[in-house]
Amino acid sequence: MIPTNKTIVAVLFLIATLSSCDVDRVPETSLSDQSFWVSENDLKLAANYFYTRLPTLPITNDTWSDDAYGRTPNSISDGSRVPGSTDGSYNNNYTTIRAANNMIEKSAKALAAGVTAERVNWYVAEAKYFRAWAYYQLLQRFGGVPLILKTLDIDAPELQAAQATREEIVDAIYADLDDAVLKLRTATQLGSADYGRISKTAALTLKAQVALFEGTRSKFHGYGNPVKHLTIAKDASKLVMLSGQHSLFANYFQLFQYEGEGFANKENILVKQYGKNTTESTLSHATQRNLEGGAASPTKALADSYLMTDGLPTTQSPLYVTPTTTTEVFKNRDPRMGDRFFKRGDPYIATQLVFTVPPLSFAQTGFANRCYANIADWNVSRSYIDLPITRYAEVLLIHAEATYELNGSISDADLNLTINLLRKRATVNMPIVTNAFVATKGLNMRDELRRERRVELALEGFRYWDLIRWKTAETELPKEMLGNYFFAEFGTSVLPMLNPQKFIIAQRASTRKFDVSRDYLWPFPTNELALNPNLKQNPNW
């Protein structure tokens, strides 16, 4: 199910007259809108529009965190940003919400025209999923926001509404997703013909994601009802696990390659699809070239999180020997590190078929990002590899973390059902995690669960929001942004800043900060504050 430009043009026209800062006003005078919404195809066209709102490649959000560094300092990561007059995430998410509200209301026309309730419900459920998705993006960034669940006239009083509470936003998200789960098809029912459309398990997974975020955030920030949300996260993720719809793909590296695409990969729950090839082109990206150019180069902090093959961190493992070359950095390490970081000998680019060392003029941390690496795609500056937005691996991580945070413990049986499946997929050599192993090795179970999440989802855009919900951003983000050891093989054509231990400094700690009283929420854009005097700026912005 890949919407082409032709399939969405009618729906784009329906919203073209909507100003992005007008929150949820509907262009009721549009002539196209009068004759639309009367067939299943109309509903499908309208629903296809929502898929254009999904995140696109390259994913560089990890530069907001301590896991990646771009070509220049990131103002979110280093605490230097200031409120802007506009905010793309705020406006874009309300555009999605407005379109969802419009479709939910107008779907009654299709019912009246004879479209069956079952088929109308499929597409209404997709609209509710995307409305929930958009409110989740807003919740993460701004906390409470105006809650608008219907289309509005130009003079509607709701346009001047104050923020709803976090709890009201989350409950509205749960309500949309609960309804969507009842009406959506399973991944199996969608089949290869409708692969990529929202399934029941996609809606359950989003519910689990929201609940884990709000459950842990409320727990560590000291507000609300963590038990309520963590219980929802545990239960929703368990339903996905019991559904029989998903399983882990055999090859971790190939998740971001053509081999990992399509209905046959049961790990993918939601993907952004990028067409097929140059002759059947709908949407493409040049992610490898962006990443090769240093858009999101891994850091030492991320590299250090990868365990040795005995299951111990480098600071404890007898297997760890101080590397003398870039190749030795990967010796006896969790192989997922070599799947996400370029290492000597990997296939590279058309002008240099085999990777040697990271070019410091681009990869300023001395580590190079290997995601979406494909020589043929690099050569034509165009790739059709899909973006996995939600994977079954994340569901397993959610269930493990929610279980632990609810109980203060997790059984070996639950570990075997969750993160040990990820360990076994990564390598048969690494030991599984047990309570006995953690205790006897002087480890901490919470730290190990968080480490597993960090490593499994590395460079997929999760780390910043994890730091926010765990309330550890104030500890991790002000630290010096370090990269690889400056080995002799890097040469002297580019001489980076080095610390006394000769690790590359991407950004000094003196230029990094995190304001605890401010930075756990984002600032509302100033134009929205001007449009709505009842919208209050977040604290200390």
Side-chain angles (χ1 to χ4, degrees):
M1 190 289 302
I2 306 173
T4 65
N5 291 335
K6 286 184 178 180
T7 64
I8 64 173
V9 68
V11 181
L12 290 176
F13 178 78
L14 290 180
I15 68 165
T17 59
L18 177 68
S19 170
S20 61
C21 65
D22 283 341
V23 183
D24 206 25
R25 298 178 175 89
V26 178
E28 295 292 349
T29 58
S30 170
L31 291 175
S32 292
D33 198 54
Q34 301 296 324
S35 56
F36 202 65
W37 313 107
V38 294
S39 69
E40 181 183 351
N41 190 57
D42 288 349
L43 293 177
K44 190 171 186 177
L45 286 173
N48 285 351
Y49 165 73
F50 296 116
Y51 294 88
T52 70
R53 315 297 291 176
L54 289 172
T56 55
L57 288 164
I59 297 296
T60 58
N61 291 359
D62 283 295
T63 61
W64 299 352
S65 75
D66 56 344
D67 273 5
Y69 185 82
R71 296 294 302 274
T72 58
N74 183 277
S75 63
I76 296 174
S77 177
D78 68 17
S80 65
R81 63 177 163 168
V82 295
S85 60
T86 59
D87 182 286
S89 64
Y90 190 90
N91 295 331
N92 289 338
N93 282 302
Y94 271 113
T95 297
T96 300
I97 291 163
R98 187 220 58 88
N101 290 342
N102 195 36
M103 180 175 172
I104 292 165
E105 293 175 11
K106 297 293 176 58
S107 64
K109 287 187 174 183
L111 278 172
V115 182
T116 66
E118 179 188 41
R119 290 176 179 271
V120 170
N121 285 340
W122 292 346
Y123 303 110
V124 169
E126 290 186 19
K128 288 194 173 185
Y129 175 93
F130 281 101
R131 184 167 69 179
W133 169 285
Y135 270 119
Y136 179 40
Q137 309 308 306
L138 292 167
L139 177 80
Q140 287 181 301
R141 289 160 173 77
F142 305 103
V145 293
L147 180 59
I148 300 171
L149 301 176
K150 64 180 182 179
T151 55
L152 301 178
D153 295 328
I154 196 74
D155 57 351
E158 290 90 344
L159 291 172
Q160 301 294 311
Q163 293 103 309
T165 66
R166 295 186 70 95
E167 198 71 7
E168 289 169 332
I169 298 296
V170 174
D171 285 344
I173 291 171
Y174 291 158
D176 271 351
L177 294 174
D178 286 343
D179 190 57
V181 169
L182 294 175
K183 295 172 179 175
L184 288 163
R185 291 166 284 181
T186 66
T188 299
Q189 288 169 334
L190 288 168
S192 57
D194 277 328
Y195 170 74
R197 300 202 82 90
I198 302 300
S199 64
K200 286 182 182 291
T201 44
L204 282 169
T205 300
L206 180 54
K207 186 178 181 183
Q209 291 170 321
V210 174
L212 183 71
F213 180 84
E214 192 61 11
T216 50
R217 196 183 191 284
S218 60
K219 178 175 182 175
F220 296 112
H221 289 255
Y223 66 86
N225 187 348
V227 172
K228 167 188 170 181
H229 300 296
L230 289 169
T231 301
I232 290 172
K234 180 181 177 182
D235 292 346
S237 57
K238 187 67 171 181
L239 286 173
V240 178
M241 293 164 64
L242 293 173
S243 70
Q245 296 291 305
H246 301 287
S247 58
L248 295 178
F249 190 65
N251 188 298
Y252 180 74
F253 174 72
Q254 289 178 354
L255 286 168
F256 289 173
Q257 299 295 315
Y258 288 111
E259 293 87 344
E261 290 193 347
F263 183 66
N265 180 359
K266 301 302 182 183
E267 182 163 349
N268 284 339
I269 296 175
L270 176 62
V271 298
K272 175 77 171 186
Q273 297 185 82
Y274 274 93
K276 293 184 178 180
N277 49 49
T278 54
T279 59
E280 194 176 336
S281 178
T282 57
L283 189 64
S284 66
H285 60 87
T287 293
Q288 186 183 357
R289 288 213 173 203
N290 278 292
L291 297 179
E292 178 212 351
S297 300
T299 62
K300 181 179 185 295
L302 175 58
D304 288 348
S305 67
Y306 287 88
L307 296 169
M308 304 299 290
T309 51
D310 59 4
L312 296 174
T314 57
T315 53
Q316 293 179 238
S317 174
L319 295 177
Y320 182 75
V321 177
T322 302
T324 59
T325 66
T326 57
T327 302
E328 290 177 0
V329 172
F330 299 90
K331 185 177 180 181
N332 294 324
R333 301 294 285 276
D334 182 332
R336 286 175 291 187
M337 183 179 181
D339 291 335
R340 293 291 165 94
F341 291 54
F342 268 114
K343 56 194 180 300
R344 186 180 288 272
D346 287 334
Y348 190 35
I349 58 178
T351 55
Q352 182 185 329
L353 296 180
V354 179
F355 188 80
T356 53
V357 296
L360 294 182
S361 55
F362 297 123
Q364 296 187 16
T365 64
F367 289 117
N369 191 323
R370 196 183 176 202
C371 296
Y372 297 93
N374 182 290
I375 291 178
D377 288 354
W378 183 94
N379 196 37
V380 297
S381 297
R382 182 181 293 179
S383 178
Y384 296 94
I385 299 174
D386 290 346
L387 163 62
I389 296 172
T390 307
R391 300 193 281 117
Y392 183 58
E394 186 190 353
V395 174
L396 302 181
L397 292 163
I398 289 171
H399 191 72
E401 185 178 350
T403 299
Y404 179 85
E405 294 301 344
L406 271 172
N407 305 327
S409 63
I410 183 171
S411 68
D412 286 351
D414 278 326
L415 290 169
N416 288 337
L417 289 172
T418 55
I419 68 170
N420 284 333
L421 295 178
L422 304 177
R423 288 280 180 94
K424 290 176 181 177
R425 190 255 296 275
T427 175
V428 295
N429 297 321
M430 286 184 68
I432 61 173
V433 181
T434 65
N435 281 278
F437 182 86
V438 169
T440 58
K441 300 299 183 180
L443 303 174
N444 177 281
M445 184 61 78
R446 176 183 282 156
D447 291 345
E448 293 312 299
L449 293 175
R450 290 181 176 183
R451 182 202 306 276
E452 194 68 25
R453 179 178 174 89
R454 185 180 192 178
V455 166
E456 175 65 29
L457 303 177
L459 305 174
E460 294 184 52
F462 289 89
R463 176 66 174 171
Y464 171 79
W465 295 117
D466 288 342
L467 296 177
I468 293 296
R469 64 190 179 87
W470 293 332
K471 205 176 183 295
T472 54
E474 63 203 64
T475 302
E476 302 302 328
L477 292 185
K479 292 180 180 178
E480 200 139 70
M481 189 70 81
L482 296 176
N484 205 351
Y485 185 86
F486 187 67
F487 297 102
E489 61 195 288
F490 279 119
T492 58
S493 60
V494 177
L495 294 175
M497 295 187 295
L498 303 176
N499 72 2
Q501 293 75 40
K502 288 196 172 183
F503 286 96
I504 295 168
I505 301 173
Q507 189 178 12
R508 295 191 181 278
S510 60
T511 64
R512 298 179 61 81
K513 61 183 179 180
F514 187 90
D515 186 340
V516 176
S517 70
R518 185 193 75 167
D519 290 337
Y520 279 110
L521 290 172
W522 287 25
F524 285 102
T526 55
N527 71 321
E528 297 297 333
L529 298 173
L531 285 167
N532 180 2
N534 293 313
L535 185 66
K536 303 303 179 186
Q537 183 59 282
N538 276 322
N540 298 311
W541 284 102

